[in-house]
Amino acid sequence: MKDQRIDAIFNPKSVALIGASSKEGKMGYVFAKNITGGYQGKIYMVNPSEDQIFGYKCYPDVKSVPDKIDLAVIVIPAKAVPKVMEELAQKGTRAAVVITAGFSEAGPEGKKLEEDMMEAANKGNIKVVGPNCFGIYNCNIGLNASLGVGTPPRGGDISFVTQSGAYGMAIFASALDHHMKFAKIMAHGNKAGIEDYEILRYLGDDDETRVICLFLESVNKGREFFEEAKRITPKKPIVATKTGRTAGAARAAASHTAALAGSFTAYKAAFKQSGIIFARNGIDLINIAKGLDWQPLPKGPRVGIITNSGGTGVELADLCEEEGLIIPELTEETQRKIRELIPPYASAKNPIDMTPIWPRFVELYSQLIKILYESDEVDIIIPIILQRAAMMPEVCKAVADRVNECLRSGLEKPTYVCWVSVRNALENMDYLQKSSVPCFDWPERTARAVGAIYEYVQFLQRRRIHIHKEA
């Protein structure tokens, strides 16, 4: 059964903005604009100095709001928060997102304020996100109660929890640039009133969430967290970046969100045991999530590489094998089929190097991909779309069309594009990614993402879990 207080954070029937403002440049203005931008539930603005904000009546205080409040979003100064939390508790509010900073991350005085705030919240059984956080989204109902700009597109199934607000939102924005769609987002900052395992449990049971992404500086109640992870990972993947891995970074985390980073060696072992996919950084996090969300899982480690550059193919082969993947030499029968297509001076072994024969790129990328889909000698296909190939929109269209045609015909095998090109070809990458064919920049990022996805497959195989792509 879902935790009703956490559900009130993501699916509130009413939202009250404490500290709302009609003055551009104020935090309360940004949140008023965001909350009214797409959310269809009841909205209450609270500010004693204003009568109306964005067409909504403004109430002088929480007590004056004429209805129950499911979710309170608080942007007033830290010293005023404990008293407002008392009023919210008396009103039966179910959840609060405290954006305001200046609590335990700011020293002893702030820590006392945070304790007072939580004492009031606990008396009223209010679930608190924050303080010192960026806010939350439920993209599928148009709710943006965050500092982020605009309301993202609906229809996503990736949920993202980040302890770092601004960086987490930068990761999120970059993912949107790559046409990824999200279900729920939470930036929980100091985590004073919500435990990591509670969020994980909620998203693990959430039907709208297919892939869970975490950006963590610390984990509270580690035993409960990893027990939840063990329960969830057999049915949906969890991808996590854990920062604060070095002494200098751990010190920075303590002043950023009052986090105790802990031993990374212990985290690494616990991630592996519970099936959590470790991502080294924010870019790896979104690359791995994209590959998991858009393509079926590979059934094995054998990679077929198609390239128009021998050097890039060699580098990618090295990096893939260093990630535990295999680049098998193709059988004579398969090589014969390939040799019938490529120039006599090209290589059919694997990597398949068609050479820079650009007038035939469209035909060759498409036909070589089809041969690898129909072959049982590889489990993963990586076309390298490099330079001139990336600058030709017809090549990207041919690759996307062929991949999706093969997947629709039941040839369940993932394709990940290794993209190596210049800025002005990015529009062509869009064509691939709008068609759910993931592109990863350069061989190293490609190998890391594919290696991490295969590591998750190995975790499932050790537990004898059938691998398939959910509809």
Side-chain angles (χ1 to χ4, degrees):
M1 180 180 291
K2 280 186 177 177
D3 184 316
Q4 294 303 310
R5 294 180 301 159
I6 297 180
D7 201 45
I9 295 167
F10 290 116
N11 292 295
K13 291 185 174 59
S14 60
V15 176
L17 177 58
I18 321 299
S21 177
S22 61
K23 295 181 178 60
E24 203 165 343
K26 294 273 190 182
M27 184 82 83
Y29 175 89
V30 173
F31 276 81
K33 189 174 180 183
N34 283 345
I35 291 169
T36 58
Y39 175 64
Q40 298 298 310
K42 294 178 181 174
I43 297 172
Y44 300 104
M45 303 290 179
V46 178
N47 186 331
S49 305
E50 304 216 32
D51 297 323
Q52 196 174 77
I53 295 173
F54 287 103
Y56 290 84
K57 176 179 168 62
C58 198
Y59 298 90
D61 51 40
V62 169
K63 289 179 287 188
S64 306
V65 174
D67 198 359
K68 285 190 174 179
I69 298 170
D70 261 2
L71 175 65
V73 180
I74 301 175
V75 295
I76 56 177
K79 286 183 179 174
V81 173
K83 184 172 183 304
V84 163
M85 195 64 80
E86 283 178 18
E87 294 172 359
L88 290 167
Q90 289 163 7
K91 202 167 183 60
T93 304
R94 294 203 291 173
V97 177
V98 184
I99 305 299
T100 312
F103 290 90
S104 59
E105 82 284 1
E109 188 180 343
K111 189 169 188 302
K112 176 68 169 58
L113 275 176
E114 190 168 297
E115 289 168 355
D116 292 345
M117 177 192 75
M118 284 312 305
E119 185 180 346
N122 290 335
K123 279 181 185 170
N125 202 27
I126 299 174
K127 183 59 72 181
V128 175
V129 177
N132 181 31
C133 75
F134 207 87
I136 63 101
Y137 285 90
N138 183 345
C139 304
N140 289 332
I141 65 166
L143 173 61
N144 176 5
S146 85
L147 269 167
V149 179
T151 304
R154 301 183 188 213
D157 55 12
I158 300 171
S159 287
F160 179 32
V161 181
T162 173
Q163 200 166 350
S164 172
Y167 186 44
M169 289 305 116
I171 294 169
F172 172 50
S174 175
L176 293 178
D177 274 352
H178 286 258
H179 304 286
M180 295 168 69
K181 290 182 180 177
F182 287 76
K184 298 175 176 70
I185 312 282
M186 177 185 287
H188 49 8
N190 290 8
K191 300 192 285 190
I194 193 164
E195 302 291 352
D196 298 296
Y197 78 89
E198 294 177 306
I199 307 166
L200 201 54
R201 178 183 295 164
Y202 179 87
L203 295 177
D205 294 334
D206 179 32
D207 292 338
E208 290 185 344
T209 297
R210 185 166 173 268
V211 178
I212 300 172
C213 294
L214 307 173
F215 188 89
L216 302 167
E217 290 181 354
S218 63
V219 173
N220 297 335
K221 299 199 173 181
R223 182 179 296 279
E224 291 89 341
F225 175 84
F226 287 110
E227 285 302 316
E228 278 300 328
K230 279 184 199 172
R231 183 182 69 83
I232 294 166
T233 48
K235 61 181 181 179
K236 64 176 80 170
I238 302 172
V239 191
T241 296
K242 167 69 180 70
T243 57
R245 302 193 290 268
T246 62
R251 187 173 61 248
S255 62
H256 180 213
T257 58
L260 296 173
S263 158
F264 179 62
T265 303
Y267 273 110
K268 201 170 179 181
F271 277 20
K272 189 167 186 178
Q273 196 175 25
S274 58
I276 294 176
I277 304 165
F278 172 64
R280 282 178 55 81
N281 53 50
I283 290 294
D284 282 357
L285 184 77
I286 60 175
N287 279 345
I288 295 166
K290 184 166 57 176
L292 288 163
D293 195 41
W294 289 356
Q295 291 289 298
L297 289 171
K299 293 174 181 166
R302 301 168 302 169
V303 179
I305 297 172
I306 301 166
T307 183
N308 64 51
S309 153
T312 319
V314 172
E315 180 176 298
L316 181 60
D318 259 347
L319 293 165
C320 282
E321 296 214 340
E322 286 169 4
E323 291 289 339
L325 303 164
I326 298 168
I327 315 296
E329 183 171 341
L330 300 172
T331 61
E332 181 52 35
E333 183 185 347
T334 303
Q335 287 193 45
R336 181 183 54 74
K337 291 179 190 171
I338 294 169
R339 278 197 296 269
E340 288 174 2
L341 299 170
I342 61 178
Y345 48 85
S347 172
K349 292 183 176 178
N350 189 22
I352 302 165
D353 180 7
M354 67 179 77
T355 73
I357 182 169
W358 58 268
R360 295 187 60 209
F361 277 170
V362 172
E363 167 205 354
L364 287 180
Y365 272 106
S366 177
Q367 294 199 38
L368 293 172
I369 287 171
K370 186 167 187 282
I371 288 173
L372 292 186
Y373 263 103
E374 291 172 344
S375 164
D376 61 2
E377 297 166 40
V378 299
D379 308 296
I380 299 163
I381 302 168
I382 305 182
I384 298 172
I385 308 287
L386 179 134
Q387 291 295 80
R388 186 181 285 270
M391 296 164 74
M392 297 169 68
E394 60 271 31
V395 170
C396 299
K397 184 176 186 308
V399 169
D401 289 350
R402 179 63 83 187
V403 169
N404 284 312
E405 176 193 303
C406 289
L407 290 173
R408 280 195 301 273
S409 73
L411 297 170
E412 197 170 329
K413 189 180 291 188
T415 294
Y416 314 104
V417 166
C418 173
W419 183 268
V420 183
S421 191
V422 292
R423 186 189 300 269
N424 64 10
L426 286 176
E427 196 175 322
N428 299 333
M429 181 200 276
D430 285 347
Y431 189 87
L432 286 155
Q433 301 208 115
K434 284 179 180 174
S435 303
S436 296
V437 178
C439 299
F440 306 132
D441 287 324
W442 292 80
E444 185 179 16
R445 287 180 179 173
T446 305
R448 275 213 304 268
V450 179
I453 291 169
Y454 179 62
E455 198 171 321
Y456 176 60
V457 168
Q458 290 178 294
F459 168 80
L460 296 177
Q461 289 173 334
R462 286 195 295 272
R463 281 152 183 78
R464 300 180 184 280
I465 294 167
H466 179 64
I467 296 169
H468 65 281
K469 185 175 187 288
E470 293 177 10

